[in-house]
Amino acid sequence: MTDSTHQGAPLGVLFMAYGGPESLEDMPGYLADIRAGRVTTQAVLDEITNNYRQIGGKSPLPEFTRAQVEATMQELQARVQRPLKAYIGMRHWNPWIEDAVREMLDDGITQAVAIVLAPHYSSMSVAKYQKKIKAGLSMNHGHIDFEFVNEYHTESGYVTALANRVREGIEAFPEGERDDVHVILSAHSLPVRILREGDPYADQLHESARLIAAAAGLRDDQWSWSYQSAGRSPEPWLGPQLDEHMHDLSGKGIKKVVSVPVGFVSDHVEILFDIDIAAQETAAELGMTLVRPPALNTDPLFIGTLASVLERKVAALS
Ligand SMILES: C=CC1=C(C)c2cc3[nH]c(cc4nc(cc5[nH]c(cc1n2)c(C)c5CCC(=O)O)C(CCC(=O)O)=C4C)c(C)c3C=C
Ligand SMILES: [Fe+2]
Ligand SMILES: [Fe+2]
């Protein structure tokens, strides 16, 4: 495209995230959206509402997302000549992706890059966010040239930042005990059927895990993989689940554990409840010490990764 095409509206940068309730009153609507097409029983609603109550009555995800977006935009704008404008769209709560797309059209955006704040691609996650962009364009009868970031699970900044978290977790134990510390790397489970469908999610997670373990200098027997946070549906989900995995490790005499979720990029309910409360309870039962270093949040290495993958997509549009 010629430079004249770029005059006028800035280039849009659409950041997408899962979305989270801003209060407990939002829970029925939020869950109805996540579990679209399936009935949410009162028992499931009560259980999940109670999880959110225990982490402060709302999701910290929108706030972390805004902070990540602000930090990334500062870095990206410093690297890119064209004026940029950031937009935030959530998959399961407001601000909705479709509304962000409408706002972009109202602003006259004709070119944009889009990224999901989740490093691993799946037809059940990243692809669904991208479909919502297309739905937003189609319901508003608009067109924007989009470049999509599909995944960034092997980027060096992301890998190094998580390897640093692993080391930080191990260093929380007294020096003489560190050789006995076992590291559990984990990510959100998905239904087992994704494997038959050729979905890359599980392979990408394992690739990230191997890179992170190597960058942290872990021995092969010093770390293992586990899924967490499986949904409440009757079909089989990828395992082992964190709880059963901890029982297994305990059976092998492992009593010092560092838990580093690699598929989430900020501290939200799947970490603050599923690990910091539920897995800590399991650890206490098993006489295990479990250390969970903070998620990436606005770690400069991670923000640098987001800026780099976006910069490459901006270049592809120019
Ligand atoms: C890779 C896929 C998924 C990621 C990443 C993910 C992140 C994520 N999830 C929540 C909160 C909930 N997720 C729930 C269900 C659920 N999550 C996924 C996939 C990912 N979630 C699926 C496929 C499902 C099942 C949907 C269904 O049809 O039931 C739920 C609902 C309760 C439940 O089913 O257990 C919640 C709540 C957060 C906060 C999050 C963060 C990025
Ligand atoms: Fe979940
Ligand atoms: Fe989920």
Side-chain angles (χ1 to χ4, degrees):
M1 285 199 188
T2 62
D3 266 341
S4 59
T5 322
H6 302 148
Q7 280 162 12
L11 186 132
V13 186
L14 175 55
F15 292 85
M16 296 178 286
Y18 201 80
E22 310 254 16
S23 81
L24 294 182
E25 277 95 75
D26 291 345
M27 287 310 295
Y30 177 62
L31 283 181
D33 192 80
I34 294 178
R35 299 164 58 87
R38 297 200 300 113
V39 173
T40 298
T41 61
Q42 188 65 44
V44 168
L45 174 62
D46 288 349
E47 183 194 330
I48 298 174
T49 304
N50 194 38
N51 296 352
Y52 275 90
R53 187 174 291 117
Q54 291 187 61
I55 65 157
K58 64 174 190 158
S59 169
L61 186 134
E63 231 164 276
F64 277 123
T65 301
R66 287 190 288 272
Q68 288 170 326
V69 168
E70 196 182 319
T72 305
M73 286 304 288
Q74 261 185 28
E75 189 156 342
L76 185 61
Q77 189 64 82
R79 297 187 196 181
V80 167
Q81 302 292 319
R82 297 174 62 177
L84 306 172
K85 183 162 181 196
Y87 297 85
I88 296 180
M90 301 292 186
R91 180 175 162 202
H92 291 299
W93 202 241
N94 62 58
W96 299 94
I97 292 170
E98 293 88 335
D99 286 338
V101 169
R102 198 200 50 235
E103 207 188 314
M104 294 170 87
L105 289 168
D106 288 348
D107 288 348
I109 301 285
T110 58
Q111 290 190 312
V113 291
I115 189 166
V116 180
L117 293 172
H120 305 87
Y121 185 88
S122 168
S123 60
M124 292 188 79
S125 79
V126 172
K128 299 245 165 118
Y129 292 74
Q130 295 173 346
K131 270 191 197 145
K132 280 184 162 257
I133 294 181
K134 286 170 190 152
L137 289 172
S138 129
M139 69 176 74
N140 290 291
H141 309 288
H143 177 81
I144 295 173
D145 279 331
F146 265 101
E147 277 288 328
F148 299 111
V149 174
N150 283 334
E151 67 242 332
Y152 41 98
H153 61 291
T154 57
E155 289 291 320
S156 66
Y158 158 78
V159 169
T160 308
L162 282 174
N164 290 345
R165 293 297 198 271
V166 167
R167 279 195 222 97
E168 204 180 299
I170 295 174
E171 283 162 13
F173 289 87
E175 208 168 338
E177 298 181 9
R178 291 179 193 162
D179 270 357
D180 302 332
V181 175
H182 186 90
V183 178
I184 305 177
L185 304 177
S186 63
H188 200 296
S189 181
L190 279 180
V192 169
R193 70 183 140 87
I194 64 155
L195 299 180
R196 292 192 296 277
E197 292 162 1
D199 193 285
Y201 183 66
D203 285 344
Q204 292 193 356
L205 289 171
H206 295 145
E207 203 177 359
S208 293
R210 278 193 300 272
L211 290 170
I212 294 161
L218 300 182
R219 304 183 309 266
D220 283 352
D221 67 340
Q222 210 184 347
W223 71 277
S224 55
W225 177 258
S226 156
Y227 285 97
Q228 59 168 97
S229 316
R232 293 153 186 81
S233 73
E235 64 182 321
W237 286 63
L238 294 170
Q241 285 301 308
L242 188 52
D243 180 79
E244 72 178 274
H245 188 53
M246 287 170 67
H247 277 85
D248 250 27
L249 292 174
S250 173
K252 292 177 185 154
I254 290 168
K255 297 291 174 189
K256 299 177 185 79
V257 166
V258 171
S259 160
V260 177
V262 306
F264 303 125
V265 299
S266 64
D267 283 311
H268 49 63
V269 72
E270 312 280 273
I271 296 179
L272 299 176
F273 182 82
D274 292 354
I275 298 180
D276 292 357
I277 296 178
Q280 281 294 6
E281 271 172 23
T282 304
E285 244 174 65
L286 297 169
M288 229 179 210
T289 306
L290 180 137
V291 169
R292 201 276 301 169
L296 294 174
N297 301 327
T298 51
D299 184 312
L301 282 171
F302 176 59
I303 297 301
T305 295
L306 295 178
S308 296
V309 291
L310 284 165
E311 186 184 5
R312 297 203 287 267
K313 292 297 174 185
V314 170
L317 273 172
S318 301

